[in-house]
Amino acid sequence: MTGARWRKSTRSDPDGGNCVEVADNLAGVVAVRDSKDPAGPALTFDPAAWRAFIAGVARR
């Protein structure tokens, strides 16, 4: 994920608990990883699929 700028949710545990990080600055892809394992694998999503996921979560 060269060039990815990772960020945590503002709702994440400030003590580094169970969090995910998102990189949405890459062309054509949104990446998600476990903040406790930054060198580990990342899930990637099409930006439209990611927006649909976020919209669904926001409705709950």
Side-chain angles (χ1 to χ4, degrees), residues 20-58:
V20 295
E21 295 178 317
V22 176
D24 57 3
N25 67 301
L26 304 169
V29 67
V30 176
V32 180
R33 71 180 182 186
D34 182 346
S35 64
K36 294 183 301 304
D37 187 12
L43 298 172
T44 57
F45 299 90
D46 174 273
W50 182 251
R51 285 190 300 272
F53 171 74
I54 295 300
V57 170

